[in-house]
Amino acid sequence: QQQVKQSPQSLIVQKGGISIINCAYENTAFDYFPWYQQFPGKGPALLIAIRPDVSEKKEGRFTISFNKSAKQFSLHIMDSQPGDSATYFCAASRGYGGSQGNLIFGKGTKLSVKP
Amino acid sequence: NAGVTQTPKFRILKIGQSMTLQCTQDMNHNYMYWYRQDPGMGLKLIYYSVGAGITDKGEVPNGYNVSRSTTEDFPLRLELAAPSQTSVYFCASRRGGDSGELFFGEGSRLTVL
């Protein structure tokens, strides 16, 4: 019940294309769903996050789509650029972490955007 | 802005040796975390702290210890290093309250031979 399943493991997209990464969770108590972006040799950094009271959140070229009934959420990267090449992690938690429960991370998706 | 600083960046240990990974943050964040990252496995929580003097186990605490004597510092101690502890370790902090954002350091790559 504590798992967050992420797919695909790796993804190759042409410049200008749409990158889509999917995650599924089991624990219905989860109510915070962030995505983190990690470049080689660096720590992860928050990209975008959503709470279950909305079905979609957009920030620039990055959009989270959330399906509460299916217990799934996904990251869409529009007009993908070579600079987007990185590893992306989805995560989920009840609250923001601490005594209520801490973030559970997916296993990551390595995105390569070809010029 | 320094943010979260980890030292050392790289270290090679022999089996059975001990060491401490240092982590300090200058954002006055209440929450601090230690994660390990193994290839294809995502990030696993080792220990966390909700404030000075308070620590708790995460998902994979065995073989590690932590302390939090100040708001700024959250060292991770490895006792009797084993090859299974070969990993990249990340320290992170979070302000708390209505903020869920984790701020990560750049990581410490540890190899146990």
Side-chain angles (χ1 to χ4, degrees), chain A residues 36 38 42 44 89 96-97 102, chain B residues 37 48 94 102 104-106:
Chain A
Y36 280 80
Q38 184 181 28
K42 302 294 185 182
F89 295 95
Y96 291 126
N102 294 293
Chain B
Q37 183 177 31
Y48 69 99
R94 179 170 73 86
L102 293 179
F104 284 86
E106 295 203 333

Side-chain angles (χ1 to χ4, degrees), chain A residues 26-114:
Chain A
E26 299 170 344
N27 189 340
T28 55
F30 287 158
D31 60 2
Y32 175 61
F33 304 90
W35 285 88
Y36 280 80
Q37 180 188 53
Q38 184 181 28
F39 293 105
K42 302 294 185 182
L46 180 65
L47 184 63
I48 187 172
I50 197 168
R51 300 298 296 263
D53 51 342
V54 296
S55 60
E56 186 175 283
K57 183 175 181 180
K58 184 176 181 180
E59 290 185 2
R61 295 184 294 108
F62 301 90
T63 299
I64 298 180
S65 296
F66 183 78
N67 186 328
K68 188 174 182 179
S69 61
K71 291 185 285 184
Q72 295 176 347
F73 58 110
S74 60
L75 176 69
H76 291 65
I77 306 174
M78 311 299 289
D79 187 26
S80 299
Q81 299 296 313
D84 298 330
S85 297
T87 299
Y88 293 81
F89 295 95
C90 64
S93 67
R94 180 186 174 195
Y96 291 126
S99 58
Q100 285 185 305
N102 294 293
L103 277 176
I104 306 295
F105 284 87
K107 293 185 177 182
T109 296
K110 185 174 182 179
L111 171 66
S112 296
V113 182
K114 300 300 183 185

Side-chain angles (χ1 to χ4, degrees), chain B residues 87-109:
Chain B
S87 188
V88 180
Y89 292 85
F90 287 97
C91 179
S93 71
R94 179 170 73 86
R95 176 168 57 82
D98 62 352
S99 174
E101 182 174 3
L102 293 179
F103 292 83
F104 284 86
E106 295 203 333
S108 297
R109 181 176 292 275

Side-chain angles (χ1 to χ4, degrees), chain B residues 47-107:
Chain B
Y47 271 95
Y48 69 99
S49 168
V50 301
I54 307 170
T55 63
D56 207 348
K57 296 177 181 179
E59 184 181 358
V60 290
N62 291 345
Y64 307 95
N65 276 299
V66 293
S67 59
R68 183 99 182 269
S69 58
T70 67
T71 298
E72 295 78 19
D73 300 306
F74 190 41
L76 177 72
R77 177 82 176 164
L78 281 72
E79 304 281 2
L80 298 174
S84 62
Q85 293 178 305
T86 293
S87 188
V88 180
Y89 292 85
F90 287 97
C91 179
S93 71
R94 179 170 73 86
R95 176 168 57 82
D98 62 352
S99 174
E101 182 174 3
L102 293 179
F103 292 83
F104 284 86
E106 295 203 333

Side-chain angles (χ1 to χ4, degrees), chain B residues 8-69:
Chain B
K9 292 190 183 300
F10 302 94
R11 181 74 185 268
I12 298 174
L13 280 181
K14 293 182 179 179
I15 294 172
Q17 287 185 321
S18 300
M19 75 160 297
T20 299
L21 299 177
Q22 302 291 345
C23 176
T24 187
Q25 53 95 4
D26 63 357
M27 297 174 283
N28 200 33
H29 285 176
N30 292 319
Y31 293 77
M32 294 189 75
Y33 306 81
W34 274 106
Y35 289 89
R36 60 176 289 171
Q37 183 177 31
D38 300 298
M41 296 302 294
L43 294 132
K44 302 289 188 184
L45 182 64
I46 305 171
Y47 271 95
Y48 69 99
S49 168
V50 301
I54 307 170
T55 63
D56 207 348
K57 296 177 181 179
E59 184 181 358
V60 290
N62 291 345
Y64 307 95
N65 276 299
V66 293
S67 59
R68 183 99 182 269
S69 58

